[in-house]
Amino acid sequence: MSAAGLEIGTTTVTDRPRTRRRLGLREWAVVAVGAVAVIAILRVVSGASDIASSGALAAAIGLAVPIGLAGLGGLWSERAGVVNIGLEGMMILGTWGAGFCGYQWGPWAGVVGAIVMGMLGGLIHAVATVTFGVDHIVSGVAINIIGLGIAKYLSVRFFTGKPGGGPTQSPTIDPLPDFTLPGVSDGLGTLERKHWFFVSDLAAIVRAVCTNLSVLTVIAVLLFVGTWWVLWRTSFGLRLRSVGESPVAAESLGVHVLRYKFLAVLISGGLAGLGGGFLAIVAANIYRDGQTGGRGYIGLAAMIFGNWRPGGLLAGAGLFGYTDAVQLRGGGNVHAFLLLFAVLLVAIGIWQVVRNHRTVQGVLAVVVGVLVGWWYLAADAVPAELTGTTPYVTTLLVLAFASQRLRMPAADGQIYRKGEGH
């Protein structure tokens, strides 16, 4: 048994033919340089220097991390065949765990508390779906409700009367370490302020990742890399993914299906809880009621549009974080972003037609891109009522048009009982 197919003699029979080669490192480097060039051109044309500033990009990273961690939790669970829409509830539990443990014993204890509380939500979901066969959607909705209720009750119970705390918030949490490359950061800042074409934009991007970068952000990136390696490069990952594709076949080959499902959902809860912990410890240094703001649902959407793969998920989370950071830094930036949005949609449309031969999807993307470009030229500003929706609309449209043939794990969401294959 292999990730690609079954080996018969010297011939490998794959589950589906390969129609095109994946982009290699060189192609992705060209895409990255092209993206920086496009942003530089749009900055010059629109006059909105903040859309490519290191401040906006650093804010985008901070906004993308919790969404990415929630989506990564969903990826682990669904690759094992368990739908997890309870990510929001697990994130809520993680924020409370970070708030309680963080102010009691320090920020690193807060990180552990966030993971443990998230895993508690994952444990409830695993027992309900894997052990008792409860419908995955019903269980996920229940987790969201239970997580919200538990966090509210525990906040009143443990934070009321504490210095700086109250029924809806925890006392202040000490910050986690962050790092800045002193000479490099200052030099890049000087280049950024020159506003030179391409050079200043590239300097801003590099400066954003080497100035006041939280250690938890680095850990989140390593978790993405680790997830890719474990799930696609190890026998453990192959077994876990086989459980999500065909549990009957996996069990016939000696894989303990229920054990892998249970473990995957626990890991899912821990990752979602860590995303909540990031909000409490890094983003705010305090736990607050309603802190997640639906990011668990956004992470789940990014995971789906990313085709249940870490790379696509990371792109979706990054796009949402960037657009959210732009709109938070002022309505003028959102108006300038319309031009970037238009160019992005047109480029996606051309890509879909030329490379993927998906004419309908490509033409629709180009048409929407042209309409957005016309909006940019016809209006001087984006109405305040629409500014807050920019991250949601942009992320959904771009990911919808850019997505390939979405293929969820074949057995995702199915109830499985031990011994069904016998």
Side-chain angles (χ1 to χ4, degrees):
M1 181 177 177
S2 69
L6 298 177
E7 206 170 82
I8 304 175
T10 58
T11 304
T12 300
V13 181
T14 58
D15 53 355
R16 58 183 182 276
R18 292 184 179 270
T19 57
R20 60 185 180 86
R21 183 175 64 90
R22 289 187 180 275
L23 295 182
L25 186 60
R26 181 183 302 175
E27 289 85 354
W28 278 116
V30 172
V31 170
V33 171
V36 176
V38 168
I39 292 176
I41 293 171
L42 294 176
R43 174 180 61 81
V44 173
V45 172
S46 66
S49 58
D50 206 28
I51 64 173
S53 69
S54 57
L57 295 170
I61 293 172
L63 291 165
V65 168
I67 294 171
L69 287 171
L72 198 62
L75 186 148
W76 272 87
S77 179
E78 300 209 9
R79 277 293 176 179
V82 180
V83 173
N84 189 0
I85 66 169
L87 294 170
E88 178 74 5
M90 296 171 193
M91 285 191 79
I92 293 172
L93 290 171
T95 59
W96 187 88
F100 178 76
C101 297
Y103 97 86
Q104 293 272 20
W105 303 295
W108 286 112
V111 172
V112 175
I115 295 173
V116 170
M117 289 299 292
M119 291 182 74
L120 174 62
L123 177 63
I124 298 171
H125 190 49
V127 170
T129 56
V130 179
T131 304
F132 294 108
V134 175
D135 182 87
H136 297 187
I137 305 299
V138 173
S139 176
V141 172
I143 293 298
N144 292 333
I145 298 171
I146 291 171
L148 180 62
I150 289 176
K152 284 182 178 293
Y153 170 77
L154 292 178
S155 297
V156 174
R157 177 70 175 79
F158 290 100
F159 296 150
T160 301
K162 298 294 190 295
T168 60
Q169 70 176 46
S170 72
T172 303
I173 308 168
D174 292 334
L176 281 170
D178 56 30
F179 68 88
T180 298
L181 299 179
V184 175
S185 178
D186 295 340
L188 292 172
T190 302
L191 279 178
E192 181 184 354
R193 288 188 291 272
K194 297 289 187 182
H195 296 297
W196 291 339
F197 177 78
F198 189 85
V199 175
S200 293
D201 301 281
L202 184 60
I205 293 172
V206 178
R207 186 168 187 254
V209 299
C210 64
T211 305
N212 297 328
L213 191 69
S214 171
V215 66
L216 199 53
T217 301
V218 178
I219 291 173
V221 174
L222 293 177
L223 286 172
F224 268 87
V225 176
T227 292
W228 168 80
W229 185 79
V230 169
L231 292 184
W232 276 272
R233 289 294 183 271
T234 67
S235 58
F236 170 83
L238 177 60
R239 293 189 186 99
L240 189 144
R241 288 186 293 118
S242 71
V243 166
E245 294 292 342
S246 177
V248 172
E251 189 175 60
S252 69
L253 293 171
V255 177
H256 197 300
V257 172
L258 299 186
R259 181 183 300 165
Y260 275 87
K261 285 180 178 287
F262 214 95
L263 181 60
V265 180
L266 284 178
I267 294 173
S268 174
L271 289 168
L274 182 59
F278 185 94
L279 291 171
I281 300 172
V282 178
N285 292 123
I286 194 171
Y287 159 80
R288 285 194 180 92
D289 187 26
Q291 199 164 26
T292 57
R295 287 175 174 82
Y297 301 111
I298 299 168
L300 183 64
M303 182 271 298
I304 293 171
F305 285 115
N307 213 4
W308 288 266
R309 297 187 71 91
L313 162 62
L314 186 61
L319 179 62
F320 183 91
Y322 177 68
T323 52
D324 200 12
V326 167
Q327 68 93 11
L328 287 174
R329 293 173 73 88
N333 292 323
V334 175
H335 179 253
F337 182 76
L338 288 177
L339 185 57
L340 176 60
F341 186 25
V343 172
L344 186 60
L345 285 176
V346 171
I348 288 173
I350 294 173
W351 175 275
Q352 293 287 22
V353 172
V354 174
R355 181 175 174 83
N356 298 331
H357 308 293
R358 304 180 73 180
T359 306
V360 175
Q361 187 169 341
V363 170
L364 284 175
V366 171
V367 169
V368 174
V370 171
L371 290 176
V372 173
W374 173 81
W375 184 10
Y376 169 79
L377 296 173
D380 295 327
V382 176
E385 296 81 7
L386 298 179
T387 300
T389 66
T390 303
Y392 305 93
V393 174
T394 302
T395 303
L396 289 176
L397 284 177
V398 170
L399 291 179
F401 286 127
S403 63
Q404 307 302 309
R405 293 179 178 87
L406 296 180
R407 182 190 176 277
M408 64 187 294
D412 197 15
Q414 295 180 10
I415 305 299
Y416 182 77
R417 300 292 189 186
K418 185 177 180 180
E420 282 188 7
H422 302 300

